[in-house]
C-alpha cells in the first residue's frame, strides 16, 4: 500500500477523503507540484538512464518502424483523411478560435523564450539525422517527379507560350533579331550583345606587347607619295565642308535670321547640346546629286550630349530650300533613327519643315523606305521605350507636322512655331477665307486648345532650356566618367596621312597604322604567324577594349579562316570589333586547275568569315582606310553587313571593281568603238568610286580625317556603351496623344 509519509515529511498535508480539495488549493498544488526536489531530480536523471538512452538511439531504427515511417503516409485512407481532415466544420471552427484563448496567447508569447527551447533551437539543425535529411531531401523520387512535371502544368505552358508574344516583345524581336539586307532596313537589325568592355583594374593593358611603328627607310618614298595625296584630298574635303556649313547660302541665312527672327540651325544645336564636340553624321550628304545640291541633305543629324546623356538629334535646316524635304533628306533621317534604335539612344527633333518636295514625290513618298517610314519608326521607337522629344521652331507643314505630334513631348515657340497640314494660302484657295498662321496653328492654339504641343516657350532659348529639363526627367543614366587617363600612342597620329594609301600598290604594313591608334601602341596579336594578310588581335582605344581586324593584303584562304575564328571569339566574349578595311582588287581569272581549286578554297573560307561577321552579336565599327572593292568588302563588314558605324578616310575608294586596274586603252583619237566605251566606263567608275561621291549618297556615316580616327572610334564606343546603363521598360503600345 502506498504511503504518503515522504510527502508529509516535505510539509505537505495528507489529503482527507472527507474533505475534498477546493479549486484554490488545487491551483497551488499544481503550481508547486512540479518544483519538489524529488520531482526535479527525477526529471534530470530520468532521461539519462542507460536503458532510456539505448531505447532512444535504437527505437527509430527497427525495421518495422522504418517500414511504417516510409509507407505510413501513403495508405489510401491516410491520404483521404489528410485531404478532408482539415476541412470539417468543427475543425475550421476550432482553428479559428483555438489561437485566440487567453492562455494560448500567453503561452505563445513566452513559449519560445524558455532556456530549454532556445537550446534546442541552437542544436536542432545540427543533429546527424537532420543533416542527412537536408542532403537527400531533394532527391526523393516523389520530389524529382514533382520537379519534372511542375513546369508542365497547363497554366504554366500557356504563360510560356504567350509570354513572348506581347506587342513590345514582338517589336523588340523584330528590330533586334532579323538579319539585315540593306543599309536602311530598320526592321532587320542583328542582335547586339552588350557587356562592359572597359578595362578592369585586374586587366592591365600595359602588359600587351608594344608595336614598332617606325616607318622603314625603304618605304620612305611611298610614305611621301601618300602624304601628298592625303593633303590634296583633305583640302578638297575642307572646301566641301565649309560649303556645307553655310547651309542654303549667305542670303538665305540673312533672310532666316533677320527677317524671320530665327536662329541658324547650328546656333540652335549650340544652345541645346552640352559644351564640347558632337559627332555629326554624313555632313556631305546631298552634294552634286542629279536633282542639284541639297547641302547636308537639308537637315543636320548627329549624336551629342544633353545633360550628360548621348542623344541623336535631327535638326531641319530651313535655309536649304525653305526646309523642304528631299529624297536624300528622308534617307538621312531614316539612318539617324536606325542608329538610335540600334544603340537605344533618345531622339531630339528640331522641326522647321515645309513638307515634301512635290516634283520628286515619286522618290520620297510611295515606297517602304520613303517618307512615311519616319513616322512608323517614331511609333515603334516609342513602344521600344526610346524617348523622343521635339521642338517646333518654325513652320511645320504636311508631313513635317507629324514628327512633333508623334513625339512623346514637344515644345512650340510663340510667334515662330506653327503646326498645320495646310497653310493659309491653301486655306484661302480652298475656302476663300483669310486666316493668319498664328490663328491656324500657332503656339497658343496647340498648347491651349488642340493639345498637339505640351510646352509653350516665349523664345528659342527658353524652348531649348525646356528640352534640357525634359531630358533630365527621362530616367536615362549617363555613362560614368573614367578617372584614369589612357595612354596616348607612342607615335604621332599626324603621320597617318603618310600611311593612308594612294593606291593598293602604295599600301604599307597595317601595323604602322595600329601603332598610331591604340593606347600606348600596345597590341595583343592573335595567330600572328598564320594568315599574315589579315591582322587580328586586341587593343585599347582610350581605355575601351576592342578586337581589331585589319586588312594587310589579299584576303587569302588562311587569312579568312583566321578572321572567322577571331570574330567568333569576340562574339563569345562580348568585345566590340573594329574593322580597318583596305581590300585588294579582284584577282585575275584562274589559268589552271590548281589555281581554280585555290580560288574555290578561298571562296569557302571567305563565306565562313562572312557568316561569322554577319552573326556576331557585338557592336561593330568599320573604317575604310583604302580600297573597298568587291566581295572582300562584305567580309570586312561593309555597309551591307550593318555595322553600327562606318566611316571613310578622304583617300578611300568604294566600288565593285577598282577602275585603276582596268586595262589601258589607246588614245582617244585612235580608239575603236569598244575601246572608247571602255574609256568612258573607266572614267565613270573613277568618278563614282571617290569617297566624296560615296558620302554624298549616304553610303557611309561620313568622312573623317585620319588624325581624328582615334577620337571618333572612342566616341562611338562610348555612345554604344550607354545602352548598358539604361533601364528598359516594356510598353504594350507607344505613347499616344488622346
Amino acid at each position: 500500500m502506498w504511503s504518503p509519509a515522504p510527502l508529509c515529511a516535505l510539509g505537505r498535508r495528507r489529503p482527507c477523503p472527507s474533505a475534498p480539495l477546493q479549486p484554490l488549493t488545487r491551483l497551488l498544488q499544481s503550481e508547486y507540484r512540479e518544483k519538489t526536489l524529488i520531482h526535479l531530480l527525477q526529471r534530470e536523471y530520468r532521461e539519462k538512464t542507460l536503458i532510456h538512452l539505448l531505447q532512444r538511439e535504437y527505437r527509430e531504427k527497427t525495421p518495422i518502424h522504418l517500414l511504417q515511417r516510409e509507407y505510413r503516409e501513403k495508405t489510401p485512407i491516410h491520404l483521404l483523411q489528410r485531404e478532408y481532415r482539415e476541412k470539417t466544420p468543427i475543425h475550421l471552427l476550432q482553428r479559428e478560435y483555438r489561437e485566440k484563448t487567453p492562455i494560448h496567447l500567453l503561452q505563445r508569447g513566452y513559449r519560445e523564450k524558455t532556456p530549454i527551447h532556445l537550446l534546442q533551437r541552437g542544436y536542432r539543425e545540427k543533429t546527424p539525422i537532420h543533416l542527412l535529411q537536408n542532403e537527400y531531401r531533394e532527391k526523393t523520387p516523389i520530389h524529382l517527379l514533382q520537379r519534372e512535371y511542375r513546369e508542365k502544368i497547363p497554366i504554366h505552358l500557356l504563360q510560356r507560350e504567350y509570354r513572348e508574344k506581347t506587342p513590345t516583345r514582338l517589336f523588340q524581336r523584330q528590330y533586334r533579331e532579323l538579319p539585315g539586307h540593306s543599309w536602311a532596313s530598320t526592321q532587320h537589325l542583328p542582335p547586339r550583345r552588350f557587356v562592359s568592355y572597359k578595362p578592369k583594374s585586374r586587366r592591365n593593358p600595359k602588359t600587351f606587347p608594344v608595336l614598332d611603328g617606325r616607318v622603314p627607310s625603304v618605304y620612305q618614298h611611298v610614305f611621301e607619295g601618300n602624304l601628298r595625296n592625303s593633303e590634296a584630298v583633305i583640302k578638297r574635303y575642307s572646301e566641301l565642308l565649309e560649303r556645307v556649313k553655310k547651309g542654303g547660302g549667305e542670303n538665305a541665312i540673312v533672310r532666316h535670321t533677320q527677317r524671320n527672327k530665327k536662329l541658324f540651325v547650328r546656333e540652335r544645336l549650340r544652345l541645346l547640346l552640352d559644351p564640347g564636340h558632337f559627332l555629326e553624321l554624313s555632313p556631305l550628304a546631298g552634294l552634286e546629286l542629279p536633282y542639284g545640291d541639297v547641302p547636308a541633305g537639308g537637315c543636320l543629324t548627329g549624336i551629342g550630349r544633353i545633360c550628360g546623356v548621348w542623344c541623336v538629334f535631327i535638326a531641319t535646316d530651313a535655309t536649304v530650300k525653305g526646309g523642304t524635304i528631299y529624297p536624300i533628306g528622308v534617307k538621312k533621317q531614316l539612318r539617324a533613327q536606325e542608329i538610335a534604335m540600334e544603340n537605344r539612344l533618345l531622339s531630339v527633333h528640331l522641326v522647321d519643315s515645309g513638307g515634301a518636295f512635290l516634283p520628286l514625290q515619286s522618290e520620297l513618298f510611295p515606297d517602304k523606305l520613303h517618307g512615311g517610314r519616319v513616322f512608323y519608326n517614331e511609333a515603334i521607337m516609342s513602344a521600344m521605350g526610346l524617348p523622343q522629344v521635339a521642338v517646333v521652331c518654325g513652320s511645320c507643314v504636311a508631313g513635317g507636322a507629324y514628327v512633333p505630334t508623334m513625339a512623346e513631348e514637344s515644345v512650340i515657340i510663340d510667334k515662330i512655331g506653327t503646326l498645320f497640314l495646310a497653310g493659309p494660302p491653301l486655306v484661302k484657295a480652298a475656302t476663300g477665307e483669310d486666316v493668319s498662321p498664328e490663328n491656324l496653328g500657332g503656339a497658343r492654339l496647340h498648347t491651349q486648345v488642340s493639345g498637339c504641343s505640351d510646352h509653350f516657350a516665349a523664345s528659342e532659348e527658353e524652348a531649348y532650356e525646356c528640352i534640357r529639363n525634359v531630358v533630365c526627367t527621362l530616367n536615362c543614366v549617363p555613362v560614368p566618367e573614367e578617372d584614369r587617363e589612357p595612354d596616348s600612342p607612342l607615335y604621332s597620329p599626324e603621320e597617318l596621312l603618310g600611311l593612308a594609301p594612294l593606291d593598293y600598290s602604295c599600301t604599307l604594313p597595317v601595323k604602322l597604322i595600329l601603332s598610331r591608334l591604340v593606347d600606348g601602341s600596345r597590341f595583343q596579336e592573335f595567330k600572328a604567324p598564320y594568315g599574315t594578310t589579315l591582322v587580328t588581335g586586341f587593343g585599347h582605344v582610350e581605355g575601351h577594349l576592342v578586337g581589331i581586324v585589319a586588312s594587310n593584303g589579299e584576303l587569302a584562304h588562311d587569312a579568312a579562316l583566321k578572321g572567322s575564328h577571331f570574330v567568333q571569339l569576340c562574339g563569345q566574349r562580348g568585345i566590340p570589333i573594329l574593322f580597318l578595311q583596305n581590300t585588294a582588287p579582284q584577282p585575275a581569272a584562274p589559268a589552271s586547275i590548281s589555281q581554280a581549286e585555290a580560288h574555290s578554297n578561298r571562296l569557302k573560307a571567305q563565306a565562313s568569315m562572312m557568316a561569322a561577321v554577319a552573326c556576331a552579336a557585338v557592336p561593330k565599327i568599320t573604317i575604310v582606310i583604302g580600297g573597298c572593292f568587291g566581295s572582300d568588302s562584305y567580309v570586312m563588314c561593309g555597309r551591307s553587313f550593318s555595322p553600327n558605324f562606318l566611316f571613310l578616310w578622304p583617300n578611300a575608294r568604294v566600288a565593285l571593281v577598282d577602275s585603276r586596274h582596268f586595262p589601258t586603252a589607246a588614245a582617244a583619237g585612235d580608239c575603236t568603238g569598244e575601246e572608247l566605251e571602255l574609256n568612258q566606263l573607266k572614267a565613270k567608275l573613277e568618278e563614282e568610286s571617290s569617297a566624296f561621291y560615296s558620302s554624298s549618297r549616304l553610303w557611309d556615316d561620313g568622312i573623317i580625317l585620319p588624325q581624328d580616327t582615334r577620337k571618333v572610334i572612342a566616341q562611338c564606343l562610348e555612345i554604344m556603351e550607354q545602352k548598358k546603363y539604361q533601364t528598359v521598360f516594356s510598353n504594350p503600345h507607344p505613347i499616344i496623344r488622346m
Side-chain angles (χ1 to χ4, degrees):
M1 183 176 178
W2 174 78
S3 173
L7 293 179
C8 294
L10 292 175
R12 296 189 64 176
R13 188 178 62 177
R14 182 187 308 173
C16 179
S18 61
L21 294 175
Q22 297 302 317
L24 179 60
T25 305
R26 287 182 182 177
L27 291 175
L28 290 173
Q29 286 181 349
S30 180
E31 180 179 359
Y32 291 99
R33 184 175 53 198
E34 301 299 324
K35 300 183 180 179
T36 61
L37 179 59
I38 187 65
H39 192 88
L40 294 175
L41 289 174
Q42 286 177 350
R43 179 183 296 172
E44 180 177 0
Y45 291 99
R46 184 174 56 195
E47 302 297 324
K48 299 184 179 179
T49 61
L50 179 60
I51 188 65
H52 191 88
L53 294 174
L54 288 174
Q55 287 177 349
R56 179 183 296 171
E57 182 176 0
Y58 292 98
R59 184 174 55 196
E60 302 298 324
K61 299 184 179 179
T62 61
I64 189 63
H65 190 89
L66 295 175
L67 194 61
Q68 288 175 347
R69 178 183 297 170
E70 181 176 0
Y71 291 97
R72 183 175 56 198
E73 302 297 324
K74 301 182 180 179
T75 60
I77 188 63
H78 190 88
L79 295 175
L80 194 61
Q81 288 175 346
R82 177 184 298 170
E83 181 177 359
Y84 291 98
R85 184 176 53 197
E86 302 298 324
K87 300 181 180 179
T88 60
I90 188 64
H91 189 89
L92 295 176
L93 193 61
Q94 288 175 347
R95 178 184 298 170
E96 181 177 359
Y97 291 98
R98 185 176 54 196
E99 303 296 326
K100 299 182 181 180
T101 61
I103 188 65
H104 191 87
L105 296 176
L106 190 61
Q107 289 175 347
R108 180 184 296 169
Y110 292 95
R111 184 173 53 195
E112 302 298 324
K113 301 181 180 179
T114 61
I116 188 65
H117 191 88
L118 295 176
L119 190 61
Q120 288 176 348
R121 180 183 296 170
Y123 291 94
R124 185 172 54 197
E125 302 297 324
K126 301 182 180 179
T127 60
I129 189 65
H130 191 87
L131 295 175
L132 194 63
Q133 288 174 349
N134 274 354
E135 182 176 359
Y136 291 97
R137 184 172 53 196
E138 301 298 323
K139 300 181 180 179
T140 60
I142 189 63
H143 190 88
L144 295 176
L145 194 62
Q146 288 174 346
R147 180 181 296 171
E148 180 178 358
Y149 289 97
R150 184 172 54 198
E151 301 299 323
K152 299 183 179 180
I153 59 176
I155 188 63
H156 191 89
L157 295 175
L158 193 63
Q159 290 174 346
R160 179 182 297 170
E161 180 178 358
Y162 289 98
R163 184 174 54 197
E164 302 298 323
K165 298 183 178 180
T166 60
T168 186
R169 183 83 177 185
L170 295 175
F171 288 147
Q172 291 174 349
R173 181 183 300 167
Q174 179 183 13
Y175 282 85
R176 187 180 56 201
E177 295 179 357
L178 298 178
H181 298 290
S182 65
W183 73 270
S185 296
T186 56
Q187 64 178 6
H188 297 140
L189 301 177
R192 302 295 186 196
R193 175 183 172 186
F194 272 83
V195 298
S196 178
Y197 39 84
K198 287 260 183 147
K200 308 295 187 297
S201 57
R202 53 187 165 85
R203 303 177 192 167
N204 188 359
K206 294 184 179 180
T207 60
F208 288 1
V210 177
L211 293 171
D212 183 4
R214 295 172 296 178
V215 180
S217 58
V218 68
Y219 295 140
Q220 194 61 36
H221 67 288
V222 179
F223 182 89
E224 293 174 355
N226 290 340
L227 180 60
R228 288 191 295 270
N229 178 70
S230 294
E231 290 174 347
V233 294
I234 288 175
K235 181 180 178 181
R236 170 67 174 160
Y237 170 72
S238 300
E239 292 173 352
L240 293 176
L241 205 58
E242 287 298 320
R243 176 177 159 192
V244 165
K245 287 182 178 180
K246 295 179 180 178
E250 295 181 358
N251 293 335
I253 293 176
V254 170
R255 183 169 58 252
H256 178 81
T257 57
Q258 295 184 7
R259 192 182 74 178
N260 298 335
K261 307 299 181 183
K262 298 179 183 178
L263 296 177
F264 187 46
V265 62
R266 295 187 181 272
E267 181 65 18
R268 289 171 172 169
L269 292 176
R270 187 188 65 80
L271 294 174
L272 177 66
L273 303 177
D274 293 349
H277 179 73
F278 63 86
L279 180 63
E280 185 175 355
L281 300 173
S282 304
L284 301 186
L287 294 181
E288 300 177 359
L289 295 179
Y291 46 78
D293 284 348
V294 185
C299 64
L300 269 64
T301 63
I303 306 172
R305 288 182 185 269
I306 299 178
C307 301
V309 179
W310 288 108
C311 309
V312 170
F313 61 82
I314 303 173
T316 309
D317 186 357
T319 67
V320 178
K321 315 291 185 181
T324 305
I325 302 174
Y326 279 73
I328 192 66
V330 171
K331 192 175 182 181
K332 189 172 182 179
Q333 291 185 45
L334 290 176
R335 174 57 182 160
Q337 288 181 321
E338 181 183 6
I339 290 175
M341 284 188 283
E342 193 166 38
N343 300 289
R344 296 200 61 85
L345 302 173
L346 68 93
S347 301
V348 180
H349 297 264
L350 306 184
V351 193
D352 188 357
S353 171
F357 184 62
L358 288 178
L360 295 177
Q361 63 86 27
S362 63
E363 299 180 36
L364 54 81
F365 170 71
D367 206 357
K368 178 181 179 180
L369 296 179
H370 283 172
R373 193 70 177 188
V374 175
F375 316 133
Y376 173 85
N377 286 344
E378 279 196 83
I380 295 299
M381 291 166 68
S382 180
M384 290 172 62
L386 302 181
Q388 299 163 90
V389 296
V391 181
V392 181
C393 48
S395 179
C396 298
V397 184
Y402 286 104
V403 172
T405 306
M406 295 188 68
E408 295 175 5
E409 284 194 60
S410 65
V411 182
I412 188 169
I413 304 171
D414 189 28
K415 301 293 193 299
I416 294 178
T418 54
L419 202 64
F420 32 63
L421 291 179
L426 192 57
V427 173
K428 175 69 173 177
T431 66
E433 182 181 358
D434 292 318
V435 61
S436 68
E438 195 67 23
N439 292 333
L440 185 62
R444 297 190 182 278
L445 173 74
H446 286 303
T447 55
Q448 299 175 7
V449 179
S450 73
C452 288
S453 293
D454 308 300
H455 304 281
F456 177 91
S459 64
E460 291 205 50
E461 291 80 3
E462 182 181 333
Y464 304 128
E465 186 63 31
C466 180
I467 286 293
R468 292 179 61 85
N469 294 337
V470 169
V471 171
C472 292
T473 69
L474 297 179
N475 200 21
C476 296
V477 181
V479 178
E481 296 290 341
E482 292 292 324
D483 296 333
R484 183 177 50 81
E485 193 70 25
D487 295 335
S488 299
L490 301 180
Y491 304 93
S492 173
E494 298 295 332
E495 295 176 347
L496 289 171
L497 299 180
L499 299 174
L502 166 65
D503 190 2
Y504 182 76
S505 59
C506 301
T507 300
L508 297 179
V510 75
K511 289 183 183 178
L512 298 177
I513 295 177
L514 294 180
S515 66
R516 290 157 175 82
L517 294 180
V518 296
D519 295 353
S521 301
R522 297 182 181 89
F523 181 66
Q524 177 64 32
E525 190 168 1
F526 175 75
K527 281 190 175 181
Y530 181 79
T532 56
T533 56
L534 187 72
V535 174
T536 57
F538 299 99
H540 294 82
V541 179
E542 293 196 5
H544 300 267
L545 176 63
V546 291
I548 299 175
V549 180
S551 301
N552 198 38
E554 182 180 345
L555 191 62
H557 171 269
D558 292 349
L561 290 181
K562 169 183 173 180
S564 176
H565 184 184
F566 181 74
V567 168
Q568 292 176 75
L569 284 181
C570 292
Q572 185 186 62
R573 299 173 187 176
I575 300 174
I577 308 175
L578 171 64
F579 292 88
L580 299 181
Q581 185 178 146
N582 181 22
T583 58
Q586 293 296 313
S592 63
I593 298 296
S594 61
Q595 288 184 2
E597 185 177 357
H599 277 225
S600 299
N601 291 334
R602 176 173 175 265
L603 178 63
K604 288 190 294 183
Q606 287 190 356
S608 173
M609 184 175 175
M610 204 178 294
V613 171
C615 297
V618 293
K620 297 185 277 281
I621 302 173
T622 302
I623 310 292
V624 181
I625 62 174
C628 177
F629 301 115
S631 60
D632 287 7
S633 68
Y634 305 144
V635 181
M636 292 298 292
C637 199
R639 189 61 144 180
S640 300
F641 277 64
S642 295
N644 291 60
F645 295 97
L646 186 147
F647 299 100
L648 309 180
W649 281 2
N651 60 291
R653 313 289 297 186
V654 181
L656 181 62
V657 294
D658 188 358
S659 62
R660 291 172 292 190
H661 289 76
F662 263 36
T664 304
D670 303 328
C671 286
T672 62
E674 293 183 356
E675 292 174 340
L676 181 61
E677 186 177 351
L678 180 62
N679 285 340
Q680 292 175 349
L681 177 59
K682 184 175 181 179
K684 187 175 188 298
L685 288 176
E686 182 73 18
E687 176 190 358
E688 294 178 352
S689 63
S690 74
F692 308 115
Y693 189 93
S694 168
S695 197
S696 68
R697 284 152 180 80
L698 281 171
W699 298 346
D700 51 72
D701 293 320
I703 296 175
I704 60 174
L705 299 180
Q707 59 267 36
D708 294 337
T709 303
R710 172 179 160 86
K711 179 175 66 176
V712 172
I713 293 172
Q715 205 168 16
C716 292
L717 290 171
E718 187 172 351
I719 290 168
M720 294 184 293
E721 190 180 12
Q722 179 171 286
K723 178 180 180 181
K724 182 171 67 71
Y725 295 94
Q726 290 185 358
T727 303
V728 180
F729 298 98
S730 298
N731 297 321
H733 51 72
I735 303 298
I736 304 173
R737 296 179 186 277
M738 303 302 289

